[in-house]
């Protein structure tokens, strides 16, 4: 199940019962039609204020939509992208130990990670900056353009990229090697809080 599928299904059904198009619902709650489409597809979930506005427009109690959100929640999804196999394996193991309630998936190329992110919303992405082909900075911009709320945390051996990472509004920046205390620090300061990860 994609994150938010339960909510998306309920939202589509309620909108249909009211005879509203996506655009009409979007106009009623003052968001774009694309936002409603993302809510319905599970690519994005609304915040509490938006939930209240949707509930009022659809003439249901807010708890109905909140329950649908809870039903659609799965384990937080965390990816790590690293081209050095031994470092990738070690990073995945460390993340599994530090984030036992999360699903951890490792990739050795930016292309693989981006294909995956197109299919499933990623909560946190640990990206090596220097990757063969496309670098981690470009990958972060492409992941952000997917419209989700992915927390991008860069992994690198160099401090040269900090300014660009800050400009791109990343969630964090870790100088290698990845260490448990750095993971815990970044989880406590995520740009977009994630249930089960944010402390």
């Amino acid at each position: 199940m994609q994150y938010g599928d339960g909510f998306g299904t309920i939202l589509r059904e309620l909108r249909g019962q009211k005879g509203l198009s996506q655009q009409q619902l979007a106009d009623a709650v003052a968001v774009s039609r694309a936002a409603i489409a993302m809510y319905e597809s599970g690519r994005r979930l609304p915040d509490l204020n938006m939930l209240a506005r949707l509930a009022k427009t659809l003439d249901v109690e807010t708890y109905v939509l909140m329950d649908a959100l809870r039903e659609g929640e799965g384990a937080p999804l965390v990816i790590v992208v690293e081209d050095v196999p031994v470092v990738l394996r070690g990073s995945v193991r460390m993340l599994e130990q530090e984030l036992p309630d999360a699903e951890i998936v490792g990739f050795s190329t930016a292309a693989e990670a981006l294909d995956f992110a197109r299919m499933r919303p990623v909560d946190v992405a640990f990206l090596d900056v220097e990757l063969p082909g496309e670098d981690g900075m470009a990958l972060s911009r492409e992941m952000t353009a997917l419209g989700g709320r992915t927390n991008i945390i860069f992994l690198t051996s160099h401090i040269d990229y900090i300014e660009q990472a800050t400009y791109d509004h990343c969630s964090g920046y870790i100088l290698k090697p990845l260490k448990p205390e750095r993971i815990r620090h970044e989880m406590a300061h995520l740009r977009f809080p994630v249930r089960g990860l944010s402390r």
Side-chain angles (χ1 to χ4, degrees), residues 52-90:
R53 286 160 48 194
L54 287 166
K56 182 176 180 182
T57 301
L58 297 169
D59 198 26
V60 296
E61 296 292 331
T62 305
Y63 76 83
V64 172
L65 296 179
M66 290 185 74
D67 286 349
L69 274 178
R70 287 189 196 104
E71 288 173 12
E73 289 179 350
L77 181 56
V78 177
I79 68 169
V80 57
V81 185
E82 167 63 61
D83 63 312
V84 179
V86 67
V87 176
L88 177 59
R89 285 192 301 272

Side-chain angles (χ1 to χ4, degrees), residues 16-182:
Q17 289 171 10
K18 295 294 273 185
L20 298 173
S21 68
Q22 284 183 341
Q23 186 63 58
Q24 289 169 323
L25 179 57
D27 291 344
V29 296
V31 295
S32 68
R33 190 205 59 77
I36 298 297
M38 281 197 249
Y39 297 157
E40 291 186 356
S41 70
R43 291 290 303 170
R44 179 185 292 170
L45 297 177
D47 61 20
L48 290 176
N49 290 331
M50 179 54 64
L51 271 181
R53 286 160 48 194
L54 287 166
K56 182 176 180 182
T57 301
L58 297 169
D59 198 26
V60 296
E61 296 292 331
T62 305
Y63 76 83
V64 172
L65 296 179
M66 290 185 74
D67 286 349
L69 274 178
R70 287 189 196 104
E71 288 173 12
E73 289 179 350
L77 181 56
V78 177
I79 68 169
V80 57
V81 185
E82 167 63 61
D83 63 312
V84 179
V86 67
V87 176
L88 177 59
R89 285 192 301 272
S91 297
V92 168
R93 278 196 300 273
M94 188 178 299
L95 288 166
E96 287 172 342
Q97 289 171 354
E98 291 301 313
L99 308 173
D101 297 327
E103 178 183 353
I104 313 296
V105 183
F107 298 97
S108 58
T109 70
E112 292 172 335
L114 187 58
D115 286 344
F116 181 82
R118 286 185 177 121
M119 294 185 299
R120 295 186 60 195
V122 174
D123 295 301
V124 181
F126 289 84
L127 306 180
D128 186 4
V129 174
E130 296 181 333
L131 294 166
E134 182 173 39
D135 67 40
M137 293 286 178
L139 174 58
S140 76
R141 288 188 287 276
E142 289 184 87
M143 289 183 69
T144 300
L146 293 175
R149 293 166 56 90
T150 302
N151 292 283
I152 305 291
I153 299 171
F154 289 109
L155 295 169
T156 183
S157 301
H158 309 283
I159 62 168
D160 306 345
Y161 303 103
I162 290 178
E163 184 177 351
Q164 184 62 46
T166 302
Y167 180 79
D168 288 343
H169 302 287
C170 74
S171 181
Y173 196 93
I174 297 176
L175 290 175
K176 291 181 181 179
L178 186 61
K179 296 179 182 175
E181 58 271 18
R182 289 297 297 157

